[in-house]
Structure formats: structure tokens, C-alpha cells
Amino acid sequence: MSRIEFPLSSYSYEYGIDEHGREEAGVIKTDVREESIIEKATLEKYITENGLKFHVLPSGKPDFSQSVKIYKNGTDWLIEYQFERLRGYWHLIAMRDYSL
């Protein structure tokens, strides 16, 4: 928790069809506060309990910024966590949920 930058930016990518049958897509940004995630499972437990896998994405600045993709094969489950090195430690600075 001490290495999460609050408020944490969380982005959800929404897809659907409007009332006229047209495809719609948009991004919804939420600022997550510390009190809303204190009781949530650790990322390791979340991955294990849901049968997920992870992959560290290549970065142009691997010593400064890194993204981790959490996914489940054969599903639309895809969440990306963005980390930056601040004050010598990795800090979680944003989450992006691409799941449908």
C-alpha cells in the first residue's frame, strides 16, 4: 500500500451498442482512493484465485517505467498495471481494464 500513488488512476474501456444500434466505445477514468482497496486481495492472490497469467511488457525506459499485463487465455480478461520508479522504489501509478 505504501507504494501505490493515491489517488490511483483507473481506466475502464467500455464497448457496446447505443439505442440506435451504433457501436459505442469510450474510456471511463476513476480516481481510486486508498480506503476503497485496503480490503482487496493482494495481486498475487488475485492472480492465483482467478487462474490468471501475467506478462511484463517491453519498455523504452525499463529502469523508470514498466507495465504488467494480467490476462486469462481464452477470455477477454485483460488488465494492465503501470509502475514507475519513484524515490528508488517501484510504485503503482495507474490501472487500465480492457476486459469486456
Side-chain angles (χ1 to χ4, degrees), residues 1 3 7 10 14 27 32 41 51 57 70 78 80 82 90 94:
M1 292 293 289
R3 294 193 192 157
S10 177
E14 301 290 328
V27 178
V32 179
L57 300 172
I70 309 292
L78 177 57
E80 185 179 334
Q82 184 179 352
W90 288 104

Side-chain angles (χ1 to χ4, degrees), residues 13 21 33 45 48-49 53 61 74 81 83 91 97:
Y13 295 80
R33 304 250 177 247
K45 185 175 179 182
T48 302
E49 287 179 349
K53 296 182 179 191
K61 300 179 183 178
Y81 292 90
F83 296 87
H91 291 252
D97 188 349

Side-chain angles (χ1 to χ4, degrees), residues 30-69:
T30 305
D31 287 332
V32 179
R33 304 250 177 247
E34 184 174 2
E35 55 273 5
S36 67
I37 64 170
I38 282 178
E39 296 180 11
K40 294 200 181 209
T42 64
L43 188 54
E44 179 183 19
K45 185 175 179 182
Y46 183 76
I47 289 171
T48 302
E49 287 179 349
N50 292 289
L52 303 173
K53 296 182 179 191
F54 70 92
H55 176 74
V56 178
L57 300 172
S59 170
K61 300 179 183 178
D63 293 335
F64 173 74
S65 177
Q66 202 68 58
S67 293
V68 177
K69 180 171 69 171

